[in-house]
Amino acid sequence: MKKLFSIIVLILLCSTSFSQDYKIIYDFKWKSDPSDGNYNSELTALSTNGRESYFEAWSKLKYDSLKTDLRNKGIRGVPSPKEEWMFQNLIVKDLKSQTTTSEQEIFDKIYISKYTCKPEWKVLKEKSKIFGYDVQKAETEFVGRKWTAWFTTAIPINDGPYKFFGLPGLILKVNDEENNFLFEIKGLTKEKVDISKRNRPSSAVNLSPTQWDSFWTKYQKEPANIFANLNETGGTYSYVYNGKDVNAKETKDAYNKAEWKKMNLFKNPIELKPCK
């Protein structure tokens, strides 16, 4: 009985240690133009429990956490964000099914697409040290680019920034061959993050990867086209942008300008090939 009890305790301890909640801060650097030596930079955050994870801009994570907290308290009205973020997507990973979901908020809707593609890694013998951890090198060809990653088995979670996962430990650093994109750890805490109520159910629009690609191609050409038919006669309320009717030409022009500015930050896209 004592031996059986000891085994049960050991299993529970191991289960607890492998289900730790972590929040990892990465510095994300990228070039909008490959021919330009200048980098954009933004702090991003990976919230993971070893089974599922969320990756988004650090400023957006704070806002999504605020929305969840207010809605948990029964407060329906959510203030506008105080900070802007450049990386617009939220990447959700289910590490058990090895699927990835991408969310992007556009005006009053959340567009959600689910992907089954994943990086296939080649683990190399080369080792180094990053952020105080012993790390090992790995390489992959993914979404049209060649990537180098450094992971540590000291944190037994097969996760990492953006859509990178599948190594026998946490990815602390990853960059593409041309150094157009770089994710590197800057902070790590054992912390549980709840953003489960970040979205209103009515705001979700589920699209297949092919449907999203088609929508996004059209959206980039004329973002304000999503305003079409929003304020039809007989509606119970009117849509506005910056306090002005969405049908007004000046409103559409202002919206296009704002959205194109965001897009230009990633005119050199992370993904050169579709990730299905």
Side-chain angles (χ1 to χ4, degrees):
M1 286 296 292
K2 287 184 178 180
K3 185 176 181 180
L4 178 61
F5 178 75
S6 298
I7 292 173
I8 293 173
V9 170
L10 180 61
I11 291 172
L12 289 173
L13 288 173
C14 290
S15 175
T16 301
S17 64
F18 276 79
S19 62
Q20 292 279 6
D21 292 283
Y22 288 93
K23 183 174 73 180
I24 304 100
I25 303 299
Y26 294 91
D27 183 17
F28 175 32
K29 289 185 170 68
W30 74 97
K31 294 179 181 179
S32 296
D33 183 347
S35 63
D36 190 342
N38 296 319
Y39 284 90
N40 302 291
S41 180
E42 182 168 49
L43 290 180
T44 55
L46 174 71
S47 305
T48 181
N49 59 20
R51 300 178 303 278
E52 61 182 2
S53 66
Y54 301 93
F55 177 82
E56 59 185 332
W58 170 228
S59 297
K60 188 176 188 305
L61 175 66
K62 290 189 288 184
Y63 184 58
D64 285 342
S65 299
L66 172 64
K67 288 195 293 184
T68 293
D69 181 56
L70 291 176
R71 285 170 180 157
N72 282 337
K73 294 175 180 176
I75 301 172
R76 298 184 63 182
V78 179
S80 299
K82 295 181 180 180
E83 300 177 70
E84 292 289 335
W85 47 84
M86 293 180 280
F87 181 73
Q88 298 295 314
N89 295 77
L90 184 151
I91 307 297
V92 183
K93 296 200 259 331
D94 184 324
L95 299 174
K96 184 177 181 180
S97 65
Q98 298 196 325
T99 56
T100 303
T101 302
S102 177
E103 293 185 9
Q104 185 159 337
E105 186 172 357
I106 297 178
F107 194 51
D108 67 329
K109 301 295 182 185
I110 308 292
Y111 292 84
I112 302 172
S113 296
K114 188 174 183 178
Y115 301 84
T116 57
C117 60
K118 59 183 180 180
E120 301 293 339
W121 297 98
K122 179 181 179 181
V123 177
L124 307 177
K125 294 182 179 180
E126 188 175 344
K127 297 183 179 181
S128 186
K129 209 171 188 71
I130 295 175
F131 204 67
Y133 290 94
D134 293 324
V135 293
Q136 190 167 351
K137 189 176 183 180
E139 294 178 341
T140 187
E141 290 191 22
F142 184 57
V143 295
R145 296 184 185 273
K146 293 182 179 180
W147 301 87
T148 297
W150 295 90
F151 68 95
T152 177
T153 56
I155 303 174
I157 293 177
N158 63 342
D159 207 347
Y162 193 57
K163 296 180 180 179
F164 298 105
F165 68 102
L167 284 166
L170 182 68
I171 298 171
L172 303 189
K173 181 179 178 180
V174 59
N175 63 278
D176 71 301
E177 187 178 44
E178 291 80 22
N179 285 316
N180 285 316
F181 304 92
L182 169 65
F183 300 88
E184 185 169 8
I185 188 171
K186 292 299 177 183
L188 183 150
T189 56
K190 288 186 177 181
E191 181 180 348
K192 187 173 183 177
V193 176
D194 182 12
I195 56 172
S196 59
K197 294 185 179 178
R198 63 194 177 278
N199 300 331
R200 292 177 291 102
S202 61
S203 69
V205 178
N206 290 289
L207 299 176
S208 70
T210 300
Q211 289 172 327
W212 165 256
D213 289 343
S214 177
F215 167 82
W216 184 242
T217 298
K218 294 176 182 177
Y219 184 79
Q220 291 178 91
K221 295 177 181 177
E222 189 74 21
N225 280 343
I226 63 167
F227 293 157
N229 304 319
L230 284 185
N231 286 340
E232 293 181 335
T233 304
T236 56
Y237 57 88
S238 297
Y239 285 88
V240 298
Y241 173 72
N242 288 341
K244 296 182 180 179
D245 188 292
V246 294
N247 286 325
K249 183 180 183 304
E250 62 177 317
T251 305
K252 294 178 180 179
D253 290 344
Y255 183 79
N256 282 338
K257 183 178 179 180
E259 290 299 289
W260 284 329
K261 182 179 179 180
K262 294 177 186 177
M263 294 175 196
N264 281 336
L265 288 169
F266 291 93
K267 62 183 178 182
N268 175 31
I270 300 177
E271 300 183 14
L272 295 178
K273 291 183 179 178
C275 175
K276 304 297 183 184

